[in-house]
């Protein structure tokens, strides 16, 4: 470079020519696309996708564990509010999760399409011609006997090599399944993402609690909680129904593991469509009911003691089962709330502790010692009269009386003696009575329809098989040169195009096959 080549500081035109050109909008777009579709970015996004799924198993999720989400708000409202701001109770609906999902989808498409095109061109391309000096290759051997180009090509084809020949040489190559497996793995990941997206759009999930003797019809109104996909409407639901005839939970009765559950079984009478005959089905934890792809899973159970409540005018104001929430999972001690808005002259609200196997404890208390209903009792620990606020149009939980309403009610009974089945508690002031009439059980069900479930399974299986090929197959080449003239000997050389493993042992088997025309112990025929 001469002095005249250096731009003058006082010459703005030459200084502008010396500065590097700006990328511009198109250049930045190309840079972003190349970065996004690089293999490194795809691996980073795949790692982030797995990492982003972890909070879904750490914190309870809405639609799966609503009660636990509510417990978070009850225990620490400030922490729960911050968790909710970051969508940690709805991880798989979070914008940041969707962003990772979409970027990974685009990255995989950008990786797979050009590599697939290049691989298809590679499959049609003939193996390259043999080098002049085979002895410089990592694997080399002199061949015995007289060997022609045609015979060498025939023997290598028997070893499943792709072969091409030239003037005095043979070129062979195999191991294309490595790149095929790599591409199929990425295609399977794309298929898995598509299956998950299809399930989110066209699938639905709902939760319902069913008491023994009651039925369920698969309609939107029958669900306690219903979460449809964006493309799902009321007509999309499979029109099946069933009746819960009986539920049995089996427990260990003696020993150190006393009270541990052994099995759960719900006996259903199922009608696959309106007017269809009923069929019996035994629903278990790992044996869901399948009706044309709609799956019904058994996820929880509890007790629903039955009560008969007579009001102050000797009219039966309430009669039936009351689902209770478990407060002690080891013994299934539970709590129930009975609301009687039709009682006269005043509405009644009752808080009940249900003990499946009740025994007296210290200080006049009662407790449950076994989860099975060996000695069921119901203890009224709060009975109130007054306005329950159920006609104000404000929704209430059936499992509690709101504290602000409870403060306005008149207490009638506080911690009465436990009631055995068929026993009655008369309320003071002639406002009525409570009779404990029996025990039923309830089950909680999750009903899901996911059209992407089977495609996701197939994509996962394909990804596993493809990964095996990608990790175990090696791309390798073998060349043979046949000497000319009397006494000339043939020679073979080989190398692998991918690292990993020892090619020497396989090359020795290939040399043996070239020498003897057989295939003694070739380890890898792919």
């Amino acid at each position: 470079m001469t002095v005249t080549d250096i731009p003058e500081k006082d010459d703005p035109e030459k200084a502008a020519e010396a500065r590097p050109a700006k990328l511009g909008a198109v250049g930045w777009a190309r840079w972003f696309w190349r970065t996004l579709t690089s293999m490194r970015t795809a691996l980073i996004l795949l790692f982030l996708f797995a990492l982003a799924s972890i909070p879904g198993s750490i914190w309870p999720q809405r639609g799966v564990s609503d009660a636990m989400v509510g417990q978070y708000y009850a225990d620490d409202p400030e922490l729960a509010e911050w968790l909710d701001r970051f969508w940690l109770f709805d991880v798989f609906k979070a914008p940041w999760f969707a962003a990772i999902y979409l970027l990974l989808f685009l990255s995989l498409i950008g990786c797979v399409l050009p590599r697939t095109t290049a691989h298809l061109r590679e499959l049609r391309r003939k193996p390259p011609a043999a080098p002049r000096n085979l002895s410089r290759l990592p694997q080399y051997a002199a061949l015995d006997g007289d060997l022609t180009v045609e015979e060498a090509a025939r023997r290598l084809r028997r070893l499943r090599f792709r072969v091409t020949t030239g003037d005095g040489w043979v070129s062979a190559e195999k191991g294309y399944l490595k790149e095929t497996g790599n591409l199929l793995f990425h295609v399977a990941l794309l298929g898995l993402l598509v299956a998950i997206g299809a399930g989110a759009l066209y699938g639905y999930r709902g939760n319902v609690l069913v008491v023994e003797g009651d039925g369920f019809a698969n309609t939107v109104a029958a669900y306690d909680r219903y979460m449809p996909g964006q493309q799902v409407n009321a007509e999309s639901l499979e029109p099946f129904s069933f009746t819960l005839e009986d539920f049995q939970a089996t427990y260990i009765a003696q020993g150190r593991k006393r009270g541990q559950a052994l099995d759960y079984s719900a006996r259903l009478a199922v009608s696959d469509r309106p007017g269809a005959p009923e069929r019996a089905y035994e629903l278990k934890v790992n044996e869901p009911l399948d009706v044309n792809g709609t799956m019904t899973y058994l996820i929880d159970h509890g007790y629903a003691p039955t009560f008969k409540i007579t009001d102050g005018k000797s009219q039966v104001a309430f009669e039936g089962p009351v689902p209770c929430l478990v407060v002690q999972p080891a013994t299934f001690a539970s709590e129930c709330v009975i609301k009687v808005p039709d009682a006269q002259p005043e509405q009644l609200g009752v808080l009940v502790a249900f003990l499946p196997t009740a025994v007296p404890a210290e200080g006049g208390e009662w407790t449950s010692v076994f989860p099975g209903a060996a000695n069921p009792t119901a203890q009224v620990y709060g009975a109130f009269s007054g306005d329950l606020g159920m006609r104000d149009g404000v929704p209430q939980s059936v499992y509690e009386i709101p504290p602000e309403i409870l403060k306005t009610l008149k207490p009638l009974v506080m911690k009465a003696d436990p009631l055995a089945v068929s026993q009655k508690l008369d309320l003071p002031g002639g406002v009525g009575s409570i009779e404990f009439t029996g025990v039923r059980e309830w089950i909680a069900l999750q009903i899901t329809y996911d059209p992407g479930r089977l495609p996701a399974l197939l994509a996962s299986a394909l990804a596993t098989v493809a990964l095996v090929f990608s990790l175990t197959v090696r791309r390798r080449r073998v060349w043979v040169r046949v000497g000319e003239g009397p006494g000339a000997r043939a020679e073979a050389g080989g190398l692998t195009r991918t690292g990993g493993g020892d090619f020497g042992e396989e090359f020795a088997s290939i040399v043996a096959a070239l020498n003897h025309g057989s295939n003694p112990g070739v380890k890898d025929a792919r």
Side-chain angles (χ1 to χ4, degrees), residues 470-524:
S470 179
L471 295 177
T472 59
V473 177
R474 294 168 299 165
R475 187 84 170 269
R476 57 265 200 217
R477 288 173 176 170
V478 174
W479 293 277
V480 175
R481 278 196 172 275
V482 177
E484 298 179 359
R489 300 178 62 183
E491 56 182 357
L495 57 80
T496 57
R497 297 191 62 188
T498 54
D502 182 16
F503 183 50
E505 185 177 354
E506 183 184 359
F507 182 76
S509 300
I510 294 171
V511 170
L514 290 171
N515 282 330
H516 306 292
S518 60
N519 186 11
V522 176
K523 301 258 180 209
D524 194 344

Side-chain angles (χ1 to χ4, degrees), residues 94-178:
W96 47 265
F97 188 87
I100 296 174
Y101 177 91
L102 292 175
L103 286 174
L104 177 60
F105 192 80
L106 290 174
S107 180
L108 288 175
I109 291 177
C111 286
V112 169
L113 290 181
R115 290 183 61 181
T116 300
T117 304
H119 185 54
L120 292 175
R121 287 198 301 266
E122 189 73 15
L123 289 176
R124 294 193 298 268
R125 186 179 297 138
K126 294 181 179 181
R132 291 186 177 275
N133 192 349
L134 298 182
S135 61
R136 294 182 178 179
L137 296 176
Q139 304 295 332
Y140 171 79
L143 302 177
D144 300 331
D146 296 331
L147 187 67
T148 63
V149 169
E150 292 75 14
E151 182 63 20
R154 185 184 66 81
R155 294 178 182 181
L156 287 172
R157 288 192 182 97
R158 288 178 57 187
L159 301 179
R160 299 184 182 179
F161 277 92
R162 291 180 58 193
V163 177
T164 185
T165 59
D167 186 14
W169 55 266
V170 179
S171 179
E173 185 173 9
K174 68 177 176 178
Y176 295 94
L177 279 179
K178 181 178 183 65

Side-chain angles (χ1 to χ4, degrees), residues 204 216-219 223 237-242 270-274 289 291 294-296 447:
Y204 63 87
F216 168 79
N218 192 29
T219 60
Y223 283 99
L237 275 63
E238 190 69 27
F240 71 93
S241 61
F242 60 80
V270 183
S271 178
D272 293 336
R273 61 187 181 280
L289 170 67
V291 181
T294 301
M295 312 296 291
T296 301
I447 300 171

Side-chain angles (χ1 to χ4, degrees), residues 5 135 185 295 313 322 327 369 405 521:
D5 295 326
S135 61
F185 175 75
M295 312 296 291
K313 294 187 176 181
V322 180
V327 293
V369 295
I405 294 178

Side-chain angles (χ1 to χ4, degrees), residues 1-17:
M1 184 175 186
T2 63
V3 176
T4 56
D5 295 326
I6 301 176
E8 295 290 340
K9 293 182 179 179
D10 297 334
D11 192 341
E13 294 183 0
K14 292 185 178 181
E17 292 177 359

Side-chain angles (χ1 to χ4, degrees), residues 142-357:
L143 302 177
D144 300 331
D146 296 331
L147 187 67
T148 63
V149 169
E150 292 75 14
E151 182 63 20
R154 185 184 66 81
R155 294 178 182 181
L156 287 172
R157 288 192 182 97
R158 288 178 57 187
L159 301 179
R160 299 184 182 179
F161 277 92
R162 291 180 58 193
V163 177
T164 185
T165 59
D167 186 14
W169 55 266
V170 179
S171 179
E173 185 173 9
K174 68 177 176 178
Y176 295 94
L177 279 179
K178 181 178 183 65
E179 180 64 14
T180 302
N182 198 359
L183 291 172
L184 284 178
F185 175 75
H186 289 82
V187 170
L189 287 182
L190 280 172
L192 186 61
L193 293 176
V194 171
I196 294 173
L201 286 174
Y202 298 97
Y204 63 87
R205 182 173 73 247
N207 298 86
V208 64
L209 184 146
V210 183
V211 179
E212 283 179 315
D214 292 345
F216 168 79
N218 192 29
T219 60
V220 174
Y223 283 99
D224 297 327
R225 181 175 175 84
Y226 176 63
M227 293 153 286
Q230 294 182 359
Q231 302 298 320
V232 176
N233 53 42
E235 289 74 22
S236 303
L237 275 63
E238 190 69 27
F240 71 93
S241 61
F242 60 80
T243 301
L244 175 59
E245 296 181 337
D246 182 54
F247 176 79
Q248 293 291 333
T250 308
Y251 305 95
I252 298 175
Q254 296 178 347
R256 290 189 309 166
K257 297 183 178 180
R258 184 175 184 268
Q260 181 174 320
L262 288 175
D263 191 25
Y264 305 106
S265 176
R267 188 157 49 87
L268 307 178
V270 183
S271 178
D272 293 336
R273 61 187 181 280
E278 291 187 340
R279 60 184 176 94
Y281 187 83
E282 187 176 9
L283 180 68
K284 293 192 174 185
V285 174
N286 294 319
E287 298 176 16
L289 170 67
D290 184 357
V291 181
N292 296 328
T294 301
M295 312 296 291
T296 301
Y297 297 89
L298 175 62
I299 59 175
D300 202 358
H301 73 102
Y303 286 100
T306 59
F307 296 92
K308 180 180 179 181
I309 298 181
T310 305
D311 63 14
K313 294 187 176 181
S314 300
Q315 301 294 322
V316 177
F318 175 86
E319 185 173 16
V322 180
C324 301
L325 296 181
V326 178
V327 293
Q328 294 181 3
T331 62
F332 265 73
S334 308
E335 292 182 350
C336 324
V337 175
I338 310 174
K339 299 179 183 181
V340 193
D342 297 327
Q344 297 292 332
E346 291 186 289
Q347 299 179 5
L348 298 176
V350 185
L351 308 179
V352 181
F354 176 74
L355 306 175
T357 303

